[in-house]
Every structure is written in C-alpha cells, then in structure tokens.
Amino acid sequence: MPPPPARLSFSLASGSSSSSSTKREADKAFDSHELDSKKPRRSYADSLKEIMREEELKKERINRKPYWIAENIVVKVMNKGLADGKYYKQKGVVSKVIEKYIGVVKMIESRDVLKIDQDQLETVLPNIGGRVLILNGAHRGEEASLVSIKADKFCALLRLESGARHGLQIEVEYEDFSKIQQP
C-alpha cells in the first residue's frame, strides 16, 4: 500500500516571519510522513541468512533419496532371522553397492560376506571426533566429523570436512550418516 500523500502549503507572503512559520509547517509535514513510512527493514545479513536457509532447504529436498547405502561405511545388521540370528546386531563394512539398495557387507568379527538389503541394516555412530559420511539430505556424499550427540533429538552435531562449506557445523539425524571405515 503506498504511503499517504504529504501535505504542503505555500505562502506568497513577503514577511520573513510568515515564511519561517510556513517552512516549519512544511518541515513538520515531511518529518511526520517520513516517520510513518519508516518500517523496520531487514538488514543485509538477515536477508542473506534467509536466502541461504532457503537454498539449504532446496538442496535438502533435491538430495533426499529413498536409498542411502554407500561403500566404505560401517553398518549394523538388524535382521534377527538371518542365519538364525548369527549376525544380529553385528557390525560390518559395505564393500560394494548393488542397484542402489543392496550392499555387499563384510562382517568385521567373522569376516563372512553377506549380500543384504539396506532395510535390514542400520547406521553406526563413531566416537566423538570420528569420521562419518553423510548418506542423505543436503550434504549427501560429504565427509564430516562427529562433534556431539543430541540424544533427545535423535541427531548429532557434525562438522563438515569436505565440500564447499568446509568447517560448517550442522545437525543431522542418526539415520542420515554413518561411521567411515578407517583403513
């Protein structure tokens, strides 16, 4: 909505007292109009933060996929029926991904090799400071280090170690990252 028009009055009087009072009235009209039109404006930094947040949400939507399994991550088998429970809650390393949803997993303890669907696996959290791979969301495919765990929110604070936003700390849900197997 446009601001209300300012009121001006002009006088053709030759006396100095009349012109000075008219000038004061005109100044008041301009001042009151300026005060009415001044609304709180967003700072440049606030606008930039808003744009960055919108871009992050857009990136999150684009990079969120139904598949998350990746090579060289540590996973935990959650299928009780597999080999009569022999591998239940045992950890392994994904050595190969087949058709986006199936992983070839080499078990850490027994050295057995399993071909298993991602739905029967769970991600593994490293110790604080440990390296992780982000598996889903805005920073999918980027490496990070674990800064802290927020158990009440089922997420963790990660510091990006690769990519354009190196050093940025972000909150990521447990199922969206996993420990990287160190050689």
Side-chain angles (χ1 to χ4, degrees), residues 76-173:
K76 188 184 295 184
V77 176
M78 298 307 293
N79 184 341
K80 291 180 182 179
L82 185 64
D84 294 325
K86 177 182 177 184
Y87 302 110
Y88 182 64
K89 290 199 174 185
Q90 296 296 309
K91 294 178 185 176
V93 178
V94 178
S95 59
K96 184 178 178 183
V97 176
I98 303 169
E99 297 180 12
K100 298 180 184 177
Y101 295 92
I102 299 170
V104 175
V105 179
K106 184 174 183 180
M107 302 307 293
I108 294 173
E109 206 171 279
S110 66
R111 301 276 187 210
D112 293 341
V113 177
L114 309 175
K115 189 173 171 182
I116 189 166
D117 189 275
Q118 73 177 13
D119 290 340
Q120 299 174 23
L121 300 172
E122 189 176 88
T123 60
V124 173
L125 303 180
N127 293 329
I128 301 294
R131 301 282 293 206
V132 299
L133 179 67
I134 299 174
L135 304 169
N136 224 338
H139 301 281
R140 182 185 184 108
E142 294 184 31
E143 291 186 15
S145 59
L146 181 64
V147 176
S148 65
I149 295 173
K150 298 186 175 192
D152 57 325
K153 292 183 175 182
F154 301 101
C155 67
L157 186 63
L158 305 178
R159 179 179 301 112
L160 296 177
E161 300 292 339
S162 66
R165 308 214 32 203
H166 178 81
L168 177 71
Q169 291 189 3
I170 56 172
E171 277 188 9
V172 179
E173 294 178 7

Side-chain angles (χ1 to χ4, degrees), residues 38-68:
K38 286 186 181 177
K39 295 179 182 172
R41 296 180 71 196
R42 294 174 109 183
S43 72
Y44 177 76
D46 289 341
S47 297
L48 187 59
K49 284 180 186 175
E50 179 68 24
I51 291 168
M52 288 173 67
R53 193 176 88 229
E54 288 173 8
E55 287 297 316
E56 192 77 16
L57 291 173
K58 181 180 174 184
K59 194 174 175 185
E60 174 74 27
R61 284 190 302 273
I62 291 169
N63 287 330
R64 180 135 316 260
K65 308 285 185 206
Y67 53 90
W68 55 266

